[in-house]
Amino acid sequence: KKLIDDMLERLKGYVQNPVFLFILWMGVGLACSLSLMIKGTYSNYVIFSQSFWHAISSSPLYVEYLQEQKDFFLYGISFTALISPFAALPRPLGMVLWCMVNCGFLYYAISKLDLKKWQFAVVILVSVNDVFTAVLSQQYSIGITAMIIFAYVLIEKEKDLWAALMVVFGVMTKLYGVVGLAFFLFSKHKMRFVASLLFWGVVVFLLPMLYASPEYVVHSYKEWFDVLIYKNELNQFKINQNISLLGMLHRITGASFSDLWIIIPGMLLFALPYLRIRQYQNESFRFLFLSSALLFMVLFSTGTETYGYLTAMVAVGIWYVKTPTQVTTPRLNLFLLIFCILLTSLSTTDLFPRFIRMDYVKPYALKALPCTLIWLKIVWEQLTQNFACSSEKIETS
């Protein structure tokens, strides 16, 4: 028994080692990106990198270029500034570096959260499989997730100027960055934060004018909003899109109804915990808002794809290690975590039975189910728990 205990303790030490976790996380991203480079299959990166050259030549950003790419460009023109250093490189090298920088950015963001070694290890291990699937599609959502986490971290550290930059850059490149505003009420310098949002809004808006005319930039922003409305309508009916709570309910019921019937109640549920002002001082309460915000972004968007669930798995990992119900509902929490790993993370891999994946998970967008249950539990915890007392129980248990 002593030998087994020693082996388990040694294994625990290895698994919690930050060097091991970094190599695992980045290694998965590198292996996937190199396989894409060898196969020459990285169409999303082609769209990203070409957007910079289209902006340089003042060509329309939001039209089809069938000879060079397979889909529309869907990000704000400010994204072309972000992608420019990678677009200037040979395309295969640029793609690999793009994927690795995004992976490293998210890993660094998670490492800046106030997590103990075992908590950090759980978050990384729970979500590392989805690093592979996200890189498989060269997802920018990896970077957006990092920006949202950094917005939270920087507000916690009272660095509102830089937190505002994360929010603004996220909003003006993919809109999802607006989720970073969920932490506004936790800021101790709200006026500074608002002023910083305005400052960075002007800077980021003007940034593409370094290489494109003002008229072209303004027109591109207008076209961007038009194409997002068009794309939102298309997403609702595509089997590989809308892998969200919205899509799941549409597909299971077979009914046609406005997404607002789901989104508005969801927004109300998300916002209700803000009424518990006395709980703001408790870190675990604020952490659950981070988890809730990240999950909300995935569950209530028609643009959610299978490849975007890295965001959700990071959120689930953060919830699991920071929930105040570790003491009161540990078995339920563990069940939900395992359920999420199996159905959300592993259901798109060969480790999952193919007939279940193809006949049930994919047609009914069931990847969203475990995350929906966990999100609802997070909201319930935020509304019912005394986080100060719960933290004391966890510390003494």
Side-chain angles (χ1 to χ4, degrees):
K1 187 176 185 301
K2 186 178 183 302
L3 179 61
I4 294 175
D5 289 343
D6 289 343
M7 290 177 62
L8 289 175
E9 194 64 30
R10 187 173 298 178
L11 178 62
K12 180 180 175 182
Y14 285 134
V15 169
Q16 293 184 14
N17 189 316
V19 175
F20 165 76
L21 294 171
F22 178 77
I23 292 173
L24 175 65
W25 181 276
M26 298 301 290
V28 167
L30 181 62
C32 183
S33 58
L34 288 177
S35 70
L36 294 174
M37 184 179 71
I38 293 169
K39 296 175 184 176
T41 54
Y42 39 87
S43 57
N44 277 341
Y45 177 76
V46 173
I47 296 171
F48 298 161
S49 60
Q50 285 299 111
S51 69
F52 173 69
W53 300 113
H54 293 155
I56 287 285
S57 62
S58 296
S59 302
L61 284 176
Y62 306 104
V63 298
E64 289 184 290
Y65 290 93
L66 296 178
Q67 292 183 339
E68 61 185 48
Q69 58 194 51
K70 297 180 180 179
D71 203 349
F72 287 104
F73 176 68
L74 295 173
Y75 301 154
I77 188 174
S78 298
F79 178 87
T80 62
L82 178 68
I83 199 69
S84 58
F86 306 93
L89 298 171
R91 189 172 286 172
L93 176 60
M95 182 275 296
V96 173
L97 287 178
W98 165 255
C99 293
M100 296 307 294
V101 167
N102 273 279
C103 288
F105 188 33
L106 180 54
Y107 183 92
Y108 185 60
I110 298 170
S111 73
K112 289 302 176 181
L113 293 169
D114 185 18
L115 299 174
K116 298 176 182 177
K117 285 182 67 175
W118 73 268
Q119 294 173 330
F120 177 70
V122 168
V123 175
I124 294 299
L125 294 174
V126 163
S127 54
V128 70
N129 175 66
D130 289 86
V131 172
F132 186 89
T133 55
V135 172
L136 201 61
S137 190
Q138 309 98 64
Q139 284 283 312
Y140 176 47
S141 62
I142 305 173
I144 290 289
T145 303
M147 290 181 199
I148 294 169
I149 292 175
F150 262 122
Y152 171 85
V153 169
L154 292 166
I155 287 175
E156 289 283 299
K157 296 181 180 294
E158 301 185 40
K159 297 181 179 180
D160 295 71
L161 175 67
W162 301 111
L165 174 60
M166 296 294 105
V167 174
V168 168
F169 211 89
V171 170
M172 297 186 74
T173 52
K174 202 183 176 182
L175 286 186
Y176 287 167
V178 72
V179 172
L181 291 176
F183 321 122
F184 171 74
L185 291 179
F186 304 144
S187 171
K188 296 177 182 177
H189 312 283
K190 293 180 179 60
M191 292 305 296
R192 183 194 303 172
F193 187 68
V194 171
S196 299
L197 288 173
L198 295 173
F199 169 75
W200 287 119
V202 172
V203 171
V204 176
F205 181 83
L206 297 176
L207 183 61
M209 295 183 191
L210 293 174
Y211 48 84
S213 70
E215 295 79 12
Y216 175 81
V217 171
V218 172
H219 183 67
S220 293
Y221 276 116
K222 181 183 180 301
E223 283 191 320
W224 181 37
F225 286 107
D226 291 340
V227 80
L228 286 180
I229 293 171
Y230 170 71
K231 187 66 175 179
N232 179 66
E233 294 173 354
L234 290 181
N235 286 344
Q236 298 183 35
F237 308 104
K238 286 189 175 181
I239 191 68
N240 292 321
Q241 297 281 347
N242 204 5
I243 313 297
S244 63
L245 171 59
L246 306 176
M248 182 177 68
L249 292 177
H250 277 292
R251 295 177 194 186
I252 289 176
T253 63
S256 177
F257 52 84
S258 171
D259 288 334
L260 292 178
W261 288 104
I262 309 302
I263 293 174
I264 291 176
M267 292 177 68
L268 291 174
L269 276 177
F270 175 80
L272 271 177
Y274 283 121
L275 298 176
R276 303 191 72 197
I277 297 173
R278 292 183 180 179
Q279 298 294 334
Y280 287 12
Q281 62 185 323
N282 298 304
E283 184 188 53
S284 56
F285 181 77
R286 302 193 299 273
F287 257 114
L288 288 200
F289 256 111
L290 173 60
S291 295
S292 180
L294 291 172
L295 283 170
F296 188 92
M297 182 177 78
V298 173
L299 294 173
F300 291 87
S301 169
T302 61
T304 298
E305 302 174 282
T306 293
Y307 305 111
Y309 266 85
L310 173 58
T311 302
M313 294 307 297
V314 170
V316 167
I318 292 171
W319 160 75
Y320 184 76
V321 300
K322 281 297 184 177
T323 173
T325 61
Q326 288 179 20
V327 176
T328 55
T329 61
R331 292 182 180 178
L332 176 59
N333 293 353
L334 182 60
F335 168 78
L336 288 172
L337 178 68
I338 293 173
F339 184 41
C340 192
I341 291 172
L342 292 175
L343 189 56
T344 299
S345 181
L346 297 179
S347 62
T348 53
T349 70
D350 292 336
L351 298 174
F352 208 81
R354 178 178 170 79
F355 79 95
I356 297 178
R357 179 171 70 247
M358 301 306 295
D359 295 345
Y360 298 99
V361 177
K362 189 173 181 178
Y364 297 106
L366 292 181
K367 279 177 72 75
L369 178 58
C371 293
T372 300
L373 296 177
I374 290 172
W375 181 73
L376 290 172
K377 189 172 190 296
I378 289 172
V379 174
W380 172 80
E381 291 172 359
Q382 289 178 299
L383 291 173
T384 61
Q385 300 297 301
N386 185 330
F387 284 78
C389 293
S390 299
S391 298
E392 291 173 6
K393 288 179 182 178
I394 292 170
E395 289 297 327
T396 57
S397 63

